[in-house]
Amino acid sequence: MPDGSVEAPRGASVQDVARRANVSAATVSRALRDVPNVAPDTRARVRAVAEELGYRPDPHASRLAAGRTMTVGVAVPDIAGWYWAETLAGVEAALREAGYDLLLTAVRTERDRRAVVAHQVLRKRVDGLLLVELRLLPDEAEQLAGAGTGLVTIGDRHPWFPSVSIDNRAAAEGAVSHLLRLGHERIALLGEEADSPHEFLVPGQRRQGYLDALGAALVPADPAYDVPGGFTVDGGRRATEHLLDLPTPPTAVFAMSDEMAFGALRAVQERGGRVPHDLSVVGFDDHALAAAFDLTTVRQVPRDLGALAAVILVEAMADPTVRHPDADLPTELVVRGSTVRATR
Amino acid sequence: MPDGSVEAPRGASVQDVARRANVSAATVSRALRDVPNVAPDTRARVRAVAEELGYRPDPHASRLAAGRTMTVGVAVPDIAGWYWAETLAGVEAALREAGYDLLLTAVRTERDRRAVVAHQVLRKRVDGLLLVELRLLPDEAEQLAGAGTGLVTIGDRHPWFPSVSIDNRAAAEGAVSHLLRLGHERIALLGEEADSPHEFLVPGQRRQGYLDALGAALVPADPAYDVPGGFTVDGGRRATEHLLDLPTPPTAVFAMSDEMAFGALRAVQERGGRVPHDLSVVGFDDHALAAAFDLTTVRQVPRDLGALAAVILVEAMADPTVRHPDADLPTELVVRGSTVRATR
DNA sequence: GTGAAAGCGCTAACAT
DNA sequence: ATGTTAGCGCTTTCAC
């Protein structure tokens, strides 16, 4: 210990400020929180004293007395990975802006998710909860609704709580339509692993968009072209290798994520082929590396999703009576060099 | 409030458990926290009742009474980005394992950092603080040491607090030595932007390794080969374009991050060149995409850094008297296809 | 081994 | 406009 002593410099308390300002603790509390019924000069004096003493209200004590924690719980299936990290960054920025602290939990299993509900919400650790791509069970929804906690979901919808999403189906349909317009008919799909522990909604939605686009163009969907890529680079690479080995390989692939699309690029390159001439590739995300590798993709901005969800949550906590409609953020097809007109 | 109303299901309190178990609140408290002086069967009974009632101690109340928060503050310069997200994922997993909650703050400016110290530590919001690649000012260090809060840093060292890092200098030296051994002499360096808001230590350390390797090989360092890439893909690409335009372009580049290395790969490719024949490229990180793009790089595992730092912090909070030595995690040169023997 | 009582630091009724 | 009183839910002496 550098100082030598062991005494922690216990911050000044309301009492200290009260004494020094010749008022009661209640007045200090009122003055500092900008609640009405405090004489302007009293408020000023209290403020000055508080400043001088470096007084900071103890958040635990005030939660205990007032019931608010000024903290929001954020539950994400994963933290690393482009989508999760971007979303989280947006959430963090918006919550900070609003003066809320952020309690982060990764929810990798169903047990984890139940623990978040029990631990954070029911124990009143947080005033609100932000669920990212997490599906709520009916009993949990009921608990949460009853707890009076603010709740906003990203990427999933629940009739009782506001949500923020993108239209995955329409976005995927747009991506595949782009390939169809280029004359491609043998279009493969790089999707989720069959046995994922989570039951994310996204893969199903994007697959539906793929099927809808094919259907609208009267192009039959070939199940052999629907291959699992696990949303990873390596999965995408292996899936693409498999596709290229097919008797009738596709002329284009739509990957449900940019990471899988990168894997596809790599697979083609490793075989000495070239994108887009030997294979057109469309991704989904507009990952930081997509522009660098000239990947045609669907742009989504998870950072905005996160920020908007956080703002809605803050509003919902401030006034639980107003209803917030579900929000859909736009996506955009970004055409780059990885797609070209079909020649075969 | 009549029955059937919207009453929030207030979790059971110590009192509820105490009544139901025919003991006092004090005994419940003791029994549940495994402190001595509770009869085994009493403890068992209390445990059973608590379980039955789904009792969870209110963390705010217990902090108020006991002074512990079971929460750790984590401050990172950024959340999105491979390194930050991976580190955070490691921290989160380890803290959860240890039963601590994680309060996340992005520290983008000096003001932010000071706010973390004031808001989280001095207000006793957290029992410990984890600083990722953040440099502490002397007065902050003093405040923190005096506050009796646990503190561990990642990537920076301070004599008063334990830290976890990698040896950036040695790792960079190893990467550049690899190029030298391959016969390269014109080796460029892709580094940080000159006017970064943060003053990270990492770029300087990696540059030193670069210089040390050249020096050991008696190869003079050409300042024209030390170009800023801003640690981004696009920055790396532009920097590499600039290098290739030089009258005497380098035959190899060492990028201080994989993202810049990806930019370099792209730049070569865009000019119709090929890696490694026209330019050997070494990165730093072993980013998820490095293997996919066959990039020779220095592997570091930020997830492990984060996890180890969290474990040390937990131990430091449990017993502040033991001293933890600074830890250095290993790095490893992963040789892939982006480097080849020099021909010119 | 257990209970009674006294707070932790703050806010919210109720007075004045 | 301000002070007084009474807790929030828990932990912790100090008795027994």
Side-chain angles (χ1 to χ4, degrees):
Chain A
M1 203 125 292
D3 195 70
S5 67
V6 197
E7 37 82 45
R10 319 191 74 341
S13 75
V14 244
Q15 299 298 350
D16 302 329
V17 179
R19 267 191 294 275
R20 203 93 137 66
N22 285 318
V23 290
S24 72
T27 301
V28 171
S29 175
R30 284 188 285 250
L32 262 26
R33 281 174 312 130
D34 292 320
V35 291
N37 291 331
V38 179
D41 56 328
T42 307
R43 194 183 296 270
R45 186 157 35 93
V46 170
R47 279 234 185 80
V49 172
E51 172 73 23
E52 181 190 339
L53 264 45
Y55 165 74
R56 306 282 171 198
D58 179 316
H60 302 278
S62 83
R63 135 65 178 108
L64 203 53
R68 272 170 293 92
T69 69
M70 289 307 282
T71 302
V72 164
V74 177
V76 272
D78 198 357
I79 293 169
W82 180 83
Y83 178 83
W84 313 116
E86 288 286 329
T87 303
L88 191 53
V91 168
E92 196 275 344
L95 285 181
R96 179 106 73 86
E97 179 75 20
Y100 280 85
D101 283 334
L102 155 28
L103 213 49
L104 175 66
T105 317
V107 169
R108 289 172 230 276
T109 64
E110 161 132 10
R111 251 185 99 250
D112 287 350
R113 198 197 49 237
R114 301 197 85 89
V116 169
V117 173
H119 182 66
Q120 295 193 356
V121 177
L122 300 185
R123 289 167 77 174
K124 304 264 194 48
R125 181 118 229 215
V126 299
D127 295 337
L129 194 58
L130 204 48
L131 258 27
V132 184
E133 304 289 344
L134 252 21
R135 205 135 33 141
L136 227 38
L137 259 37
D139 67 308
E140 291 173 320
E142 235 162 286
Q143 286 188 297
L144 291 169
T149 315
L151 175 58
V152 173
T153 58
I154 294 180
D156 189 17
R157 310 202 131 147
H158 189 287
W160 301 347
F161 311 105
S163 75
V164 179
S165 335
I166 58 168
D167 189 339
N168 281 291
R169 196 211 55 76
E173 183 178 24
V176 175
S177 295
H178 164 67
L179 291 170
L180 288 162
R181 277 196 305 275
L182 288 174
H184 292 279
E185 302 211 326
R186 302 206 304 278
I187 303 174
L189 178 68
L190 266 43
E192 79 283 14
E193 216 53 59
D195 55 344
S196 163
H198 285 282
E199 304 150 355
F200 294 122
L201 296 171
V202 163
Q205 296 167 341
R206 294 188 188 165
R207 174 169 292 104
Q208 192 58 54
Y210 163 84
L211 295 173
D212 289 352
L214 293 182
L218 303 178
V219 172
D222 184 344
Y225 282 170
D226 186 341
V227 290
F231 277 74
T232 66
V233 179
D234 215 53
R237 185 171 61 165
R238 277 196 294 260
T240 305
E241 281 169 0
H242 167 75
L243 288 169
L244 296 176
D245 283 336
L246 251 30
T248 317
T251 64
V253 303
F254 166 53
M256 287 190 191
S257 80
D258 278 358
E259 307 226 317
M260 287 192 287
F262 294 138
L265 298 184
R266 180 66 189 159
V268 173
Q269 187 186 330
E270 276 182 335
R271 303 221 163 187
R274 291 183 59 190
V275 169
H277 307 289
D278 299 300
L279 188 71
S280 279
V281 178
V282 179
F284 198 115
D285 278 344
D286 201 26
H287 188 287
L289 283 164
F293 288 103
D294 208 21
L295 178 70
T296 296
T297 191
V298 176
R299 172 178 300 155
Q300 68 168 331
V301 188
R303 201 178 279 255
D304 291 348
L305 281 180
L308 178 56
V311 167
I312 293 175
L313 179 56
V314 168
E315 286 171 4
M317 291 185 301
D319 184 353
T321 64
V322 311
R323 294 207 68 71
H324 296 266
D326 288 340
D328 247 340
L329 252 42
T331 61
E332 177 193 358
L333 181 69
V334 183
V335 178
R336 298 202 182 94
S338 67
T339 47
V340 76
R341 178 155 291 283
T343 54
R344 287 168 294 176
Chain B
M1 198 164 275
D3 201 355
S5 65
V6 207
E7 32 88 43
R10 319 190 70 347
S13 75
V14 243
Q15 299 298 348
D16 301 329
V17 178
R19 265 190 295 276
R20 204 93 135 68
N22 284 314
V23 291
S24 72
T27 300
V28 171
S29 175
R30 283 189 284 250
L32 262 27
R33 280 172 313 127
D34 292 322
V35 290
N37 289 332
V38 179
D41 55 328
T42 306
R43 193 182 297 268
R45 186 157 34 94
V46 169
R47 280 234 185 80
V49 171
E51 172 71 23
E52 179 189 339
L53 264 44
Y55 165 73
R56 306 283 172 198
D58 178 315
H60 301 279
S62 78
R63 136 67 178 109
L64 202 53
R68 273 171 293 92
T69 69
M70 290 307 283
T71 302
V72 164
V74 177
V76 271
D78 198 356
I79 293 168
W82 179 83
Y83 179 83
W84 313 117
E86 288 286 330
T87 303
L88 191 54
V91 168
E92 196 274 345
L95 285 181
R96 178 105 72 88
E97 180 75 20
Y100 280 85
D101 283 334
L102 156 26
L103 214 48
L104 175 66
T105 316
V107 169
R108 289 173 230 276
T109 65
E110 160 131 10
R111 251 184 100 250
D112 287 350
R113 198 197 49 237
R114 301 198 85 88
V116 169
V117 173
H119 182 65
Q120 295 193 357
V121 177
L122 301 184
R123 290 169 76 173
K124 305 263 193 52
R125 182 123 232 213
V126 300
D127 295 336
L129 193 58
L130 206 46
L131 258 28
V132 183
E133 303 289 342
L134 252 21
R135 204 135 31 142
L136 228 36
L137 259 38
D139 68 309
E140 291 173 319
E142 234 162 289
Q143 286 188 298
L144 291 169
T149 316
L151 175 58
V152 173
T153 58
I154 294 181
D156 189 16
R157 311 203 131 149
H158 190 286
W160 301 347
F161 311 105
S163 75
V164 179
S165 334
I166 59 168
D167 189 338
N168 280 290
R169 195 211 57 76
E173 183 179 24
V176 176
S177 294
H178 164 67
L179 292 169
L180 288 162
R181 275 196 305 273
L182 288 174
H184 293 278
E185 301 210 328
R186 303 207 302 279
I187 303 173
L189 178 67
L190 267 44
E192 79 283 13
E193 217 52 59
D195 55 344
S196 162
H198 284 282
E199 305 150 356
F200 293 121
L201 296 170
V202 163
Q205 296 166 340
R206 295 189 187 165
R207 173 168 293 104
Q208 192 56 54
Y210 164 84
L211 295 173
D212 289 352
L214 293 182
L218 303 177
V219 172
D222 185 344
Y225 283 170
D226 186 342
V227 291
F231 277 73
T232 65
V233 179
D234 216 52
R237 185 169 64 165
R238 277 195 295 259
T240 304
E241 282 170 359
H242 167 76
L243 288 169
L244 296 176
D245 284 336
L246 252 30
T248 317
T251 64
V253 304
F254 167 53
M256 287 191 191
S257 79
D258 278 357
E259 307 227 316
M260 288 192 287
F262 294 138
L265 298 185
R266 180 66 190 160
V268 172
Q269 186 186 332
E270 276 181 336
R271 303 223 162 182
R274 291 182 59 190
V275 169
H277 306 289
D278 299 298
L279 188 72
S280 279
V281 178
V282 179
F284 199 116
D285 278 346
D286 202 26
H287 188 286
L289 282 164
F293 288 103
D294 210 20
L295 178 69
T296 295
T297 190
V298 177
R299 171 180 300 154
Q300 67 167 332
V301 188
R303 202 179 278 253
D304 292 348
L305 280 180
L308 178 57
V311 167
I312 292 175
L313 179 56
V314 167
E315 286 170 5
M317 293 184 302
D319 183 353
T321 64
V322 311
R323 295 205 68 72
H324 296 267
D326 289 341
D328 247 342
L329 253 40
T331 60
E332 178 193 358
L333 181 69
V334 182
V335 178
R336 297 202 182 92
S338 67
T339 47
V340 76
R341 178 156 290 283
T343 54
R344 286 169 292 174

